[in-house]
Structure formats: C-alpha cells, structure tokens
Amino acid sequence: MNKQLSNWTVLGIETSCDETAAAVYTTENGILSSKLFSQIEQQKMFGGVVPEIASRTHVEKIEPIITEALQAAGKTLNDINVIAVTSKPGLPGSLLVGACFAKSLAYALKIPIIGVNHLEGHAFSSFLEYTPPFPHICLTASGGHTSLYLITDYGKYKTIGQTTDDAAGEAFDKIAKLIGLPYPGGPEIEKMAQAVNFVDFFNYTRAKKPTLDFSFSGLKTAVLYDLVKRGAYDLATKTLLDHSLELKQQVSSSLLVAIRDIFIQKLEIALKLNPEIKSVSFVGGVACNKYLKAALANFCSKNGLEYFTPSPKYCTDNAAMIAFVGHYMAQREQFDDLDLDIL
Ligand code: KG4
Ligand code: ZN
C-alpha cells in the first residue's frame, strides 16, 4: 500500500436506530471527535423507538451532526479521505438515511466508502480506548442485541452465542414498562435496584441452559407471573395494580441480579469452551450499568482475565466505533461500491 494511502482520516456515520452520530478518526491520532443527537426525548413520549420518527429525525440531524463532528476534530470535508457508514443491521429507514448521505459525500468528494456492521462496531468499541489482548471475548448487550463474540484479530470475530428472543436491554425496557418505569428502562432499573442494595428479593427463575445462547423472554414472563401471584398485576386488563416504590425497587433489584447471573453463567461456559481466552469486554448500552460492570470485573479478576469496558459514551450507539472499524478496513482496502446496500 502506498504511504499516502495508509494515512486515513475517516468520517464515521451511524444512523442504525435512534441516534444520529458522526465521528472523525485518524491513523495518526485515533479518535478526534464523536458527536451525536439522541432521539431519546422523542422516543420517551411513545415508550420506545418509532421507526418513522427515527428516520425523519435522522434526515434533519445528519448534516448538523457531521458538521459538528468535523468542527470538533478541527477538520473540513476536504480532509476526509474515507467514509465509514453503518450499513447493517438496524431499522431499514434509519440505515438508509446514513447510507444515502454517506454515498452522496463519497461521490462528491471522490473518496472511498466502507459499509460497517453495527455489531462489529460494538464488538470493537472497547478497542477505542484500550488494546485488549487476543483471543478475546466480547459480550455485547444492547436494546437490540445480546451476543458473545470470540475475537481473534481486528475484523476477525465469530458469534459464539446470541439471544434467541429478546435482547437484554429489551428485557430491561419491557419489564420497566410493566412496573410503570419510563423508557429507557435500563437506567431506571439500575437506580431502583441501587436504592435497595441489589438484593435478590424474588429469585426469578433463570433458564439454565448449558448453551451459549441467551433467552430473556422467559425472564420477562417469570416477572409477569410473579407480579400476578403477588396481586400486583391484573392479567385480564393488563394493568399494574401496585404502584408502590417498594415494588418497583424490589422487582428492579431482583431482575438485575438475575441478569448478572445469566451473563456470568454464559461467560463461564464460553471460557470452558475456549480456555485460551486472555481478555473479556462488556459493551453496548447495557454496559452502562455500573452494577453489572463491577460484577463482570470481579468475575474476570477471579478467572485471571483482563477485563475492558468502554466509557459510557462508547457503550451506547455512537459513530466512533464505526469510524474505528472503518479505519482498519481502510487499511486493508476493504472498500465498497456506491451501490452499497443496507441489508
Ligand atoms: O446500545 P444502545 O444505546 O442501543 C442499541 O443498539 O440498542 O442500548 C440501549 C439499551 C436500552 O435497552 C437501555 O435500557 C439499555 O441499553 N441501558 C441500560 C442502562 N443504560 C442503558 N441497561 C441497563 N442499565 C443501564 N444503566
Ligand atoms: Zn447498538
């Protein structure tokens, strides 16, 4: 590769769900800026993401966010020599906004474009701040995905476990809704659980399957039926009958401990199957949870593993992780054509 072309200034663009994000990453200095517009306030009104609203908001916000990211990096569009854009998976209408904008820029600036898998972005998000040794296991837990990746090099990863139904973040969001907590549920559940010191009040059944796949819909059902049994929820009318803070705290705390146990059980299995593992990372929106982060750190230290978790700004959806993956793909000249699809 000629020297000039190995010096990349990447503009990363992420619009797979409800965050409009842009970032600048350079070969010389790594991440220079990472900006986003979160639609969380809009989504709160509807108790979740409304795809139509998400894509319309991306259309409004994508240009100002890219401008902000360039300014914060001290760069202009003319400094950018490759564009990395999330091309899958995600909400089609949302992905299309980012992909079309990225293609237009690449065409106008006559620079290459790279489609990045959003999940590869999450899987390598801890590499923005750290250099975990390989082989590495990454637990990604977000609102849309819960997966375990075995990572042996940059861009070389294998999914060794994933959710067969709801994602972990989705379980937090759905159960929060059930007990009258606002969206997004994860941070609310954490606050409630912390107030009662993370005690396991209700000991919800954890499906102890000896596989690496996750299942959270059973846990949601266990919480629901436990509420019914306690006379706190009416199944026929689907209404919460007990609005006490005490119930919210006890359900939240028991749920968080159950999810902790599920994560640790899966990591134990993964390590048994892959004893050569040197390090573990915990990423995705759910990795903002301080209790879970600490529990996994403790597990790793007991098992002699290095442990990494990104700063919260790189745990939730962001474009820095997309620019990072785009950067190592650019170094390998893994470019896409302008007919890059989002599926
Ligand atoms: O990665 P992310 O921003 O978006 C997706 O790609 O889905 O993750 C959002 C998810 C939501 O389900 C939210 O409830 C969860 O991450 N989350 C948390 C916490 N903060 C966000 N879950 C548990 N504890 C938290 N502190
Ligand atoms: Zn995500």
Side-chain angles (χ1 to χ4, degrees):
M1 202 189 300
N2 91 35
K3 190 145 193 317
Q4 196 196 350
L5 276 185
S6 61
N7 241 339
W8 295 105
T9 300
V10 189
L11 172 65
I13 299 175
E14 154 67 41
T15 63
S16 66
C17 188
D18 59 343
E19 255 105 26
T20 318
V24 177
Y25 185 100
T26 66
T27 306
E28 266 193 332
N29 296 310
I31 194 75
L32 296 185
S33 67
S34 178
K35 296 286 171 187
L36 64 82
F37 175 79
S38 169
Q39 301 179 16
I40 228 156
E41 290 309 315
Q42 280 141 294
Q43 314 294 2
K44 264 183 182 171
M45 289 191 286
F46 300 94
V49 179
V50 180
E52 174 71 15
I53 297 178
S55 47
R56 280 167 189 261
T57 311
H58 287 312
V59 171
E60 274 172 33
K61 298 294 177 189
I62 190 161
E63 192 276 326
I65 286 296
I66 290 175
T67 303
E68 233 185 87
L70 288 168
Q71 278 171 357
K75 302 282 179 195
T76 69
L77 273 181
N78 290 326
D79 297 315
I80 302 298
N81 57 10
V82 62
I83 303 211
V85 61
T86 305
S87 56
K88 65 181 173 190
L91 299 170
S94 290
L95 286 167
L96 273 174
V97 177
C100 290
F101 205 93
K103 286 187 201 185
S104 314
L105 280 179
Y107 179 76
L109 298 168
K110 298 187 174 55
I111 57 173
I113 187 169
I114 296 174
V116 173
N117 183 313
H118 179 80
L119 296 172
E120 185 169 343
H122 276 303
F124 284 88
S125 57
S126 63
F127 291 73
L128 278 162
E129 298 163 291
Y130 309 100
T131 312
F134 299 118
H136 172 83
I137 278 188
C138 172
L139 167 60
T140 300
S142 70
H145 306 277
T146 305
S147 307
L148 273 172
Y149 300 105
L150 174 60
I151 305 179
T152 47
D153 198 352
Y154 294 96
K156 269 195 164 176
Y157 62 103
K158 195 166 83 178
T159 307
I160 55 171
Q162 58 192 328
T163 181
T164 51
D165 40 60
D166 292 349
E170 203 177 352
F172 279 119
D173 295 338
K174 286 182 175 171
I175 294 168
K177 199 171 177 181
L178 198 66
I179 57 172
L181 292 173
Y183 175 87
E188 299 292 328
I189 300 247
E190 183 176 13
K191 260 187 261 162
M192 292 287 142
Q194 190 177 12
V196 287
N197 288 319
F198 309 103
V199 170
D200 187 2
F201 294 92
F202 301 145
N203 193 22
Y204 299 128
T205 335
R206 291 94 161 121
K208 280 214 165 181
K209 279 199 212 143
T211 73
L212 283 174
D213 285 331
F214 299 85
S215 164
F216 292 102
S217 82
L219 186 58
K220 189 188 67 191
T221 312
V223 174
L224 177 66
Y225 283 99
D226 186 76
L227 285 170
V228 172
K229 194 183 78 192
R230 285 169 205 286
Y233 193 88
D234 181 43
L235 257 191
T237 55
K238 292 192 177 152
T239 39
L240 184 68
L241 303 172
D242 181 348
H243 295 273
S244 70
L245 180 62
E246 192 187 12
L247 182 86
K248 290 179 178 36
Q249 291 174 335
Q250 294 185 347
V251 171
S252 298
S253 193
S254 310
L255 172 70
L256 196 48
V257 177
I259 290 189
R260 175 203 69 187
D261 289 352
I262 293 169
F263 283 171
I264 288 179
Q265 191 224 353
K266 296 302 170 189
L267 282 177
E268 274 169 351
I269 301 175
L271 290 177
K272 261 196 200 127
L273 295 173
N274 304 278
E276 72 283 10
I277 292 305
K278 291 196 178 124
S279 58
V280 170
S281 65
F282 178 35
V283 310
V286 176
C288 292
N289 191 296
K290 292 197 192 75
Y291 174 77
L292 292 175
K293 279 204 289 202
L296 296 191
N298 188 30
F299 169 82
C300 287
S301 105
K302 276 191 190 149
N303 286 278
L305 297 162
E306 285 190 58
Y307 172 71
F308 304 89
T309 185
S311 313
K313 65 179 175 195
Y314 299 138
C315 281
T316 48
D317 285 351
N318 66 86
M321 64 187 192
I322 303 305
F324 178 82
V325 171
H327 178 257
Y328 65 66
M329 290 176 77
Q331 287 182 314
R332 295 167 183 173
E333 301 190 40
Q334 291 173 312
F335 304 120
D336 282 294
D337 294 325
L338 283 178
D339 62 1
L340 169 71
D341 204 351
I342 55 139
L343 295 170

